[in-house]
Amino acid sequence: MNDVPVGQRPQPAAVDVARDPADDHACDHLAALIALAAQAPTAWVLLRVGDLLRLVGAYGAPPDALLLRAAPLSSTLAGVIFASGTVHIVDDVHHDANLPADAPIRLLGIGAYLGCPVRDRNGDVVGICAATDPQPRRWRSEQVAAVEHAAAFLAASRRLGSAETTP
């Protein structure tokens, strides 16, 4: 798969927020640190597993977060990050022209989103660290930097060596 240019690689088809019961909660702690550093009430840590994006850590996640289960990646902000490979900042979800009308994030009552790609050794996006807020807000540069550092930490700690990994 690494011989195929990034923009032409198959993208995950769905988001699966089922939690792995064997999770040691390290990613929950990372999500808590993301929320604190970004001064956001909610944070998410997601990793690609096969053709799914699996929630491996969360802090302050609403109970209805299961609305994300099996959502087409093309209708999510995660899909934007996988496609672009860049940080995605949305100060007001309700006025983001790039976000599909049926995006699950709208159903969760999220008003602002800050997502950073997690990369493997080859530079492929294999996950996302994100901070969210129910209210629209302006993300400051130090908050963006904190989430970027969390994504880099996750990549280093998981020793991600391929475009697909297990949590």
Side-chain angles (χ1 to χ4, degrees):
M1 177 171 251
N2 291 331
D3 296 336
V4 178
V6 173
Q8 296 175 5
R9 292 183 188 161
Q11 297 299 314
V15 174
D16 179 1
V17 296
R19 297 295 300 268
D20 183 346
D23 186 1
D24 63 2
H25 301 290
C27 287
D28 285 332
H29 291 290
L30 180 60
L33 289 171
I34 291 168
L36 289 169
Q39 298 175 328
T42 309
W44 314 83
V45 179
L46 302 114
L47 289 176
R48 181 176 175 179
V49 180
D51 63 350
L52 299 175
L53 197 59
R54 183 170 297 274
L55 179 68
V56 295
Y59 177 85
D64 54 355
L66 290 178
L67 289 170
L68 293 174
R69 189 177 198 106
L73 202 55
S74 61
S75 72
T76 67
L77 286 174
V80 172
I81 295 171
F82 268 86
S84 70
T86 61
V87 173
H88 192 71
I89 301 168
V90 180
D91 294 333
D92 189 342
V93 167
H94 307 292
H95 295 104
D96 183 15
N98 297 321
L99 185 63
D102 64 340
I105 196 168
R106 293 183 194 274
L107 300 174
L108 291 175
I110 293 173
Y113 177 89
L114 164 58
C116 297
V118 175
R119 298 183 179 281
D120 67 8
R121 291 182 198 156
N122 300 320
D124 295 322
V125 178
V126 295
I128 295 167
C129 288
T132 59
D133 196 310
Q135 301 300 316
R137 65 180 285 177
R138 202 137 184 66
W139 298 100
R140 296 189 319 270
S141 60
E142 62 270 15
Q143 294 166 328
V144 175
V147 180
E148 288 177 315
H149 282 291
F153 171 80
L154 180 60
S157 69
R158 296 285 177 154
R159 298 178 196 262
L160 303 174
S162 68
E164 296 183 11
T165 185
T166 56

